[in-house]
């Protein structure tokens, strides 16, 4: 236990470093600032960790890419190529945060920014009629993709608004007699936050746990449904780990118990086949910018038969069946409609392409030692691959990967260094949650990009591990859990 | 009997137009996507000997118009090349 003793000795002087998690990350962060940067990394893991502490304390996580110490055998750049001959813009692999706008969508939208500027709700002249017609066409495209009736589509500003509208709308409409809502622990922040708000209004919320794979247990759900349950809200595809919940079973169970079923399908719409009638979905949130459409646009599917009633959040001129007042934005609506149409017409080609690239990425990343895939392997949307790299800090890896645009989880929480609550719900400990990275693959990702990312990740994970005193201990066969860390 | 018919050279010309405008996209991802899309689609048309209906022909003409406009727009806005793109690579004439 020589090394752990050393750590004991070094650590108390650097109280901010006492956290096990930060050791590996900060070790790497500071190498460029470390006074011993000429020394070989391998022989002084503890010192570099300690020196790291000093660096990390002043830690505004420097934005330059840290370079390996001079004379080190570790090559940081991809060795096969001369970087001067290539561009500098990072590869985009964060498709769960947003997707690039398809040029065909932009082409549709431009008409409305150049000539067709009528208010679609102006029913007295041709300018209004032409934009109104375009909006109804878009509504049909959006509805067709989920086998719904166009009248059941309510355009909104995005999936967050939809989720607020569905949860608060249903709860407030039926709230006099039904005061209970069921959701899961891995929902998106806007569902969880809406639930918290409803809790303050006197509703009771059940947060269903998920298993190791990220899926809810149907028995738990059945037990949780009460006489006064008005709504079950379970997301279709998880935004961090990509698992697909058993929608059909949930839908059947809800229908049997006469409870409304809302699903947040921001990540699922157009990417997995969804039939709202077959799956018994009553409300569904859809986002446009996750399907190569414009940002600031979304839609809520609200079933008409049996009718789901919701209390509107935004009142006014009575547009969208009075459920969401306010003038619609024809460019965004038409762009969204075109994006939905393309999701349908390109489904087979996109699916085959994404599956091929995702499998290649997944197989190669998981062939690195001490890695694991988060979430179910079978029940998942292939375009979202979430992998944990043990003994490497996710944020450090992202910093070392300035040439690839990635995220360790939801964009909403990426500003904080909190570990992901979704991975926590799967039973992952802090260290594992901190070492996870999400890879998003889409229609426009190329095989060349995936190859580059595989090379870059493999190399830099190895590099960061070489710096990590923890990893060295693991290689020596020391069980990290057996170490008593000082200062806790 | 419909009087509509498209000859093989007409299809080849259409295909070459698609490839030309697709390769004019400044954006790496869009360029590669459209090249992949039309190469695959036209190979399939040929292999499966798909009958070109007037609807299909018209929809291809419309798609080609979109591609012409969008590749032109793409050339008006410049962004840095991606890390996988060679700086000396000439992707269009």
């Amino acid at each position: 236990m020589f090394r752990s003793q050393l750590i004991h000795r070094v650590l108390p002087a650097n109280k901010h470093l006492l956290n096990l998690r930060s050791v590996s990350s900060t070790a790497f962060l500071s190498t460029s600032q470390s006074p011993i940067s000429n020394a070989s990394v391998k022989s002084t893991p503890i010192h570099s960790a300690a020196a790291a502490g000093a660096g990390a304390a002043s830690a505004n996580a420097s934005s330059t890419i840290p370079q390996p110490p001079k004379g080190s055998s570790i090559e940081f750049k991809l060795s096969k190529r001369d970087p001067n001959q290539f561009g500098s813009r990072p590869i985009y692999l964060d498709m769960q945060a947003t997707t690039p706008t398809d040029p065909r969508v932009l082409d549709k939208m431009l008409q409305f920014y150049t000539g067709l500027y009528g208010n679609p709700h102006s029913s007295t002249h041709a300018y209004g009629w032409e934009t109104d017609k375009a909006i109804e066409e878009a509504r049909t495209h959006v509805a067709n993709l989920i086998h719904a009736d166009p009248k059941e589509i309510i355009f909104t500003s995005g999936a967050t608004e939809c989720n607020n509208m569905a949860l608060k709308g249903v709860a407030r409409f039926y709230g006099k007699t039904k005061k209970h809502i069921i959701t899961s622990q891995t929902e998106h922040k806007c569902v969880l936050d809406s639930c918290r708000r409803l809790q303050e209004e006197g509703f009771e919320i059940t947060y269903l746990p998920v298993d190791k794979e990220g899926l809810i247990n149907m028995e738990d759900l059945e037990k949780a449904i009460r006489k006064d349950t008005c709504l079950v809200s379970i997301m279709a595809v998880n935004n961090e780990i990509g698992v697909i919940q058993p929608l059909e079973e949930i839908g059947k169970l809800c229908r049997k118990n006469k409870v409304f079923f809302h699903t947040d399908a921001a990540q699922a719409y157009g990417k997995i086949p969804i039939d709202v009638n077959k799956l018994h979905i009553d409300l569904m949130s859809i986002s446009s910018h996750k399907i190569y459409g414009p940002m600031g646009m979304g839609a809520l599917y609200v079933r008409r038969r049996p009718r789901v009633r919701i209390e509107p959040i935004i009142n006014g001129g009575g547009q969208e069946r009075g459920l969401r007042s306010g003038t619609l934005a024809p460019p965004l609506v038409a762009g969204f409609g075109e994006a939905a149409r393309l999701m349908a017409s390109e489904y087979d080609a996109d699916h085959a392409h994404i599956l091929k690239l995702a499998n290649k990425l997944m197989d190669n990343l998981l062939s690195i030692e001490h890695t694991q895939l988060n979430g179910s392997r079978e029940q998942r949307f292939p375009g979202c691959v979430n992998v944990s790299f043990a003994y490497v800090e996710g944020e450090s890896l992202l910093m070392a990967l300035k040439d690839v645009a990635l995220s360790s989880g939801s964009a909403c929480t990426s500003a904080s260094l909190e570990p992901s609550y979704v991975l926590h719900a799967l039973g992952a400990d802090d260290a594992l949650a901190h070492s996870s990275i999400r890879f998003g693959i889409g229609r426009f990702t190329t095989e060349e990009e995936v190859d580059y990312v595989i090379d870059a990740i493999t190399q830099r994970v190895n590099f960061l591990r070489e710096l990590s005193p923890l990893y060295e201990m693991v290689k020596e066969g020391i069980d990290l859990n057996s170490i008593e860390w000082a200062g806790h | 009997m419909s009087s509509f018919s498209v000859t093989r050279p007409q299809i080849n010309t259409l295909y070459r137009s698609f490839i030309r405008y697709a390769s004019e996209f400044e954006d790496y991802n869009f360029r590669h996507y459209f090249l992949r899309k039309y190469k695959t689609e036209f190979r399939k048309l040929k292999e499966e000997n798909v009958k070109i209906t007037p609807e299909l022909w018209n929809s291809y003409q419309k798609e080609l118009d979109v591609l012409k406009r969008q590749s032109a727009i793409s050339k008006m806005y410049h962004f840095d090349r991606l890390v996988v793109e060679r700086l000396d690579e000439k992707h269009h004439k």
Side-chain angles (χ1 to χ4, degrees):
Chain A
M1 292 316 250
F2 170 67
R3 296 210 186 282
S4 53
Q5 279 165 4
L6 249 180
I7 286 185
H8 278 250
R9 221 178 55 216
V10 175
L11 285 184
N14 298 279
K15 284 240 158 87
H16 47 270
L17 238 193
L18 295 184
N19 203 329
L20 158 61
R21 276 166 264 140
S22 56
V23 173
S24 61
S25 69
T26 46
F28 139 77
L29 264 181
S30 67
T31 43
S32 55
Q33 303 152 349
S34 163
I36 48 149
S37 61
N38 279 329
S40 128
V41 174
K42 264 189 125 176
S43 63
T44 56
I46 311 299
H47 286 270
S48 66
S58 57
N60 29 44
S62 129
S63 65
T64 51
I65 302 175
Q67 295 300 319
K70 274 177 204 157
S72 150
S73 60
I74 306 161
E75 256 309 312
F76 207 69
K77 292 265 193 290
L78 290 180
S79 48
K80 287 181 212 154
R81 35 171 267 166
D82 174 9
N84 294 327
Q85 286 178 359
F86 289 85
S88 57
R89 202 169 155 74
I91 292 169
Y92 189 78
L93 273 197
D94 199 7
M95 296 293 173
Q96 275 67 42
T98 191
T99 50
T101 312
D102 193 300
R104 292 165 289 185
V105 170
L106 178 65
D107 193 72
K108 191 83 185 170
M109 291 172 69
L110 280 173
Q111 308 169 34
F112 298 89
Y113 285 121
T114 44
L116 308 175
Y117 51 79
N119 182 327
H121 311 297
S122 299
S123 51
T124 53
H125 50 69
Y127 285 79
W129 304 333
E130 60 197 14
T131 42
D132 184 54
K133 187 168 162 264
I135 279 174
E136 293 316 313
E137 264 171 34
R139 202 188 296 279
T140 309
H141 290 315
V142 173
N144 284 349
L145 198 46
I146 50 170
H147 306 276
D149 188 294
K151 286 179 190 147
E152 298 174 311
I153 301 294
I154 309 293
F155 286 125
T156 67
S157 69
T160 292
E161 187 187 330
C162 294
N163 286 335
N164 272 269
M165 207 166 133
L167 284 150
K168 292 175 185 167
V170 168
R172 286 174 187 162
F173 193 93
Y174 298 95
K176 275 192 187 143
T177 49
K178 295 186 164 186
K179 286 221 160 280
H180 180 231
I181 293 170
I182 300 170
T183 185
S184 81
Q185 290 175 352
T186 56
E187 293 296 309
H188 190 266
K189 273 275 163 70
C190 62
V191 169
L192 297 176
D193 218 45
S194 294
C195 284
R196 214 192 45 182
R197 175 80 200 140
L198 288 169
Q199 241 167 338
E200 286 166 16
E201 289 177 22
F203 288 87
E204 269 184 69
I205 318 282
T206 303
Y207 298 95
L208 292 178
V210 295
D211 59 16
K212 276 200 314 251
E213 308 240 288
L215 296 164
I216 63 156
N217 184 328
M218 289 306 294
E219 278 172 25
D220 289 351
L221 177 61
E222 196 160 5
K223 274 184 219 149
I225 293 179
R226 316 191 308 214
K227 269 196 174 147
D228 65 339
T229 305
C230 61
L231 185 71
V232 171
S233 178
I234 307 283
M235 74 199 320
V237 170
N238 187 277
N239 54 320
E240 291 196 22
I241 50 177
V243 302
I244 305 172
Q245 298 289 354
L247 296 177
E248 189 165 3
E249 290 170 49
I250 301 171
K252 265 189 199 150
L253 187 66
C254 290
R255 187 59 61 87
K256 199 178 86 190
N257 290 286
K258 296 204 169 73
V259 178
F260 292 129
F261 173 33
H262 165 250
T263 184
D264 173 5
Q267 303 287 348
Y269 179 77
K271 296 174 186 169
I272 60 169
I274 296 180
D275 180 334
V276 285
N277 298 315
K278 198 171 142 233
L279 305 181
H280 302 297
I281 293 168
D282 295 308
L283 298 123
M284 181 161 113
S285 305
I286 306 168
S287 176
S288 149
H289 73 108
K290 313 281 191 201
I291 58 162
Y292 315 95
M295 279 181 167
M297 192 64 219
L300 181 66
Y301 161 79
V302 185
R303 181 175 285 285
R304 277 158 61 95
R305 255 181 240 114
R307 191 169 175 199
V308 182
R309 317 224 15 205
I310 57 176
E311 178 103 8
I313 295 178
I314 298 178
N315 306 101
Q319 290 90 347
E320 300 297 282
R321 287 166 48 203
L323 296 178
R324 207 278 188 181
S325 291
T327 304
L328 286 174
L332 301 184
V333 174
F336 181 21
E338 182 69 3
R341 188 185 70 79
L342 290 169
M343 285 311 272
S345 66
E346 303 288 346
Y347 181 81
D348 293 335
D350 282 353
H351 185 76
H353 179 68
I354 290 172
L355 190 66
K356 182 180 133 200
L357 295 191
N359 281 343
K360 182 170 194 183
L361 182 70
M362 206 160 74
D363 293 346
N364 279 285
L365 292 183
L366 294 180
S367 69
I368 304 174
E369 272 185 313
H370 306 292
T371 53
Q372 71 169 72
L373 181 74
N374 292 311
S376 169
R377 200 176 256 272
E378 282 81 35
Q379 285 299 309
R380 57 198 300 279
F381 163 61
C384 179
V385 180
N386 191 315
V387 178
S388 285
F389 301 91
Y391 320 114
V392 174
E393 241 251 353
E395 298 294 332
S396 326
L397 187 51
L398 293 184
M399 301 253 308
L401 280 167
K402 284 280 187 250
D403 46 357
V404 189
L406 286 166
S407 154
S408 54
S410 158
C412 310
T413 46
S414 63
S416 73
L417 289 174
E418 287 272 301
S420 152
Y421 65 89
V422 174
L423 294 175
H424 267 296
L426 262 64
D429 59 11
D430 270 1
L432 194 75
H434 265 298
S435 63
S436 301
I437 292 191
R438 176 183 73 179
F439 302 82
I441 291 168
R443 178 186 287 169
F444 297 110
T445 311
T446 66
E447 188 155 5
E448 197 181 5
E449 288 177 311
V450 170
D451 290 339
Y452 181 95
V453 171
I454 291 168
D455 273 1
I457 294 267
T458 312
Q459 217 168 54
R460 286 166 222 187
V461 164
N462 288 337
F463 167 62
L464 290 174
R465 281 182 179 165
E466 289 296 319
L467 293 181
S468 162
L470 294 181
Y471 187 61
E472 196 166 331
M473 288 191 226
V474 170
K475 279 203 294 191
E476 284 169 12
I478 300 170
D479 180 6
L480 293 185
N481 293 326
S482 70
I483 298 170
E484 278 182 39
W485 297 91
H488 266 288
Chain B
M1 286 296 281
S2 147
S3 60
F4 184 85
S5 74
V6 180
T7 59
R8 174 90 348 240
Q10 277 177 301
I11 296 176
N12 287 344
T13 311
L14 181 70
Y15 171 68
R16 278 198 301 274
S17 308
F18 271 121
I19 295 304
R20 182 187 151 201
Y21 289 112
S23 56
E24 282 188 9
F25 269 92
E26 192 68 28
D27 184 287
Y28 164 88
N29 296 88
F30 294 157
R31 183 169 71 245
H32 282 265
Y33 170 72
F34 287 114
L35 285 172
R36 172 164 56 85
K37 174 181 159 69
Y38 289 110
K39 278 179 186 168
T40 320
E41 274 188 27
F42 277 81
R43 193 184 314 127
K44 222 173 163 188
L45 280 185
K46 197 175 173 185
E47 279 171 7
E48 295 174 10
N49 212 0
V50 179
K51 171 129 182 54
I52 309 277
T53 60
E55 292 77 33
L56 186 61
W57 185 254
N58 286 339
S59 79
Y60 270 133
Q61 296 298 338
K62 276 187 192 155
E63 274 182 46
L64 186 62
D65 287 343
V66 172
L67 218 60
K68 274 184 203 172
R69 287 193 293 268
Q70 290 302 312
S71 60
I73 289 175
S74 175
K75 277 186 271 184
M76 295 173 201
Y77 299 90
H78 293 265
F79 303 95
D80 290 342
R81 294 269 177 103
L82 292 187
V83 288
V84 285
E85 276 184 284
R86 290 190 76 90
L87 291 174
D88 53 5
E89 184 187 6
K90 288 256 188 308
H91 54 262
H92 57 83
K93 288 142 204 152

